[in-house]
Amino acid sequence: MEDAQILFLFNARNEAAITESRRKFGPLISALPLRLPQSREDAEETENDTYWKVWNAVPPAQPLPLTPYFSAVCRRTALDRLRRRTRAKRGAGVYEESLSELEE
């Protein structure tokens, strides 16, 4: 299916747009997150989040061609997920240790 037809399905809020997007962009969207240090589960969540974000963004946006748009959304989503995961690990327990050192 052509990009314009998929875009028409998105604009019509037809769920076939997701099916056709998976068929056309699935290999790209599933491979991009795996290039970052992510687990398989994170990569699958990134793929699902990508389709969800495109579903919510397309009625006002009219991106053609769709391949760069999908890859940009996927890359951004994967990086956001990676940042969230590593942010939670920053300073794990070091804060209390630093405070005890300052007491001395």
Side-chain angles (χ1 to χ4, degrees):
M1 185 173 270
E2 295 297 319
D3 287 358
Q5 294 169 324
I6 294 172
L7 192 61
F8 177 78
L9 291 174
F10 272 112
N11 286 321
R13 304 314 267 167
N14 188 336
E15 291 181 15
I18 300 295
T19 305
E20 292 300 324
S21 296
R22 277 190 198 273
R23 186 173 296 132
K24 185 169 184 175
F25 307 112
L28 172 71
I29 300 302
S30 61
L32 278 174
L34 291 175
R35 293 182 181 171
L36 297 172
Q38 294 192 50
S39 66
R40 182 70 193 154
E41 292 81 23
D42 282 344
E44 290 172 3
E45 284 297 316
T46 299
E47 181 178 356
N48 291 334
D49 289 347
T50 299
Y51 292 118
W52 175 252
K53 287 180 180 182
V54 171
W55 177 264
N56 288 326
V58 165
Q62 299 297 314
L64 277 178
L66 287 174
T67 304
Y69 186 74
F70 268 92
S71 60
V73 170
C74 182
R75 184 176 53 249
R76 202 173 320 121
T77 303
L79 288 172
D80 288 346
R81 182 175 296 280
L82 182 64
R83 285 186 193 115
R84 265 182 286 163
R85 192 181 56 196
T86 57
R87 179 176 47 225
K89 295 180 183 177
R90 290 184 193 155
V94 177
Y95 181 72
E96 290 81 15
E97 185 179 322
S98 299
L99 287 179
S100 65
E101 289 175 359
L102 288 174
E103 288 176 351
E104 298 171 7

